[in-house]
Amino acid sequence: RLAGALHNCGRFVFSVGGRTAAALGLFEQARAHQQQALAKSPKDPMALDFMGKHLEMIGRCHSQLQNGEQLAATATALAELPSRDPRLALRAADFHLRAWHFLGKADAAALDAAMAQLLGAEQRGLTAAQLPAKGFEALQDRPDFRAWQERVRNEQRAKGN
């Protein structure tokens, strides 16, 4: 419960604007409490869901603060979280791409990690309607990305017919 209260307080502070670092501290505290809960019940679906929410907000804070290394670490933590939700994998991919950008666009491993998350999102049932309009431009030249995009779109068309 304390993790949830800290998270909600962090969301309020985050929404005020200009208080991203303060909000980050609250989300990090929420994460620490959630880790304790998961240590007792590592497969608890509600605890895992809340951990995903904490990590998403931690990532959003690091993104606003342009903390590339911390954002990359958060993307990895989010990617390692067991979840069936394709949107979680999309968020991890987005964080990897933002970290790649903040860190000077030099590490191709971040692009590979983002692509791996997109493939994971597809396996979890990602639909074309869940694809963001932008954000994956760094992957446009990759044949595996174009093939992935086409598969997701074709799957949606096949379901629509």
Side-chain angles (χ1 to χ4, degrees):
R1 289 186 235 199
L2 181 56
L6 288 165
H7 182 90
N8 291 339
C9 187
R11 288 203 53 116
F12 174 76
V13 171
F14 184 80
S15 70
V16 171
R19 306 271 325 267
T20 303
L24 176 59
L26 292 166
F27 293 127
E28 288 289 3
Q29 288 179 47
R31 177 187 189 181
H33 286 283
Q34 202 66 48
Q35 285 171 326
Q36 291 173 0
L38 283 168
K40 295 175 187 171
S41 299
K43 294 183 180 182
D44 182 304
M46 189 179 297
L48 289 166
D49 183 52
F50 284 132
M51 180 60 86
K53 292 176 184 195
H54 303 324
L55 289 170
E56 283 189 64
M57 290 308 300
I58 289 168
R60 288 182 64 189
C61 289
H62 284 309
S63 182
Q64 277 197 0
L65 296 169
Q66 297 186 7
N67 296 335
E69 288 184 22
Q70 295 90 337
L71 183 56
T74 302
T76 299
L78 192 59
E80 292 171 350
L81 198 62
S83 173
R84 293 182 184 175
D85 186 350
R87 294 168 300 175
L88 206 64
L90 277 179
R91 178 66 71 186
D94 176 55
F95 288 166
H96 278 299
L97 291 171
R98 288 173 187 264
W100 172 78
H101 177 78
F102 295 143
L103 294 171
K105 302 179 182 179
D107 187 4
L111 298 177
D112 293 338
M115 191 64 226
Q117 288 307 301
L118 294 177
L119 293 170
E122 178 185 12
Q123 292 172 348
R124 295 174 188 173
L126 178 74
T127 65
Q130 292 172 309
L131 288 176
K134 60 180 188 171
F136 298 123
E137 294 81 7
L139 300 172
Q140 292 294 333
D141 292 335
R142 291 177 61 128
D144 56 345
F145 176 77
R146 290 192 305 271
W148 169 83
Q149 228 176 5
E150 190 63 27
R151 279 193 314 274
V152 171
R153 288 183 181 137
N154 286 341
E155 180 68 24
Q156 188 68 27
R157 285 185 204 118
K159 287 181 181 179
N161 293 333

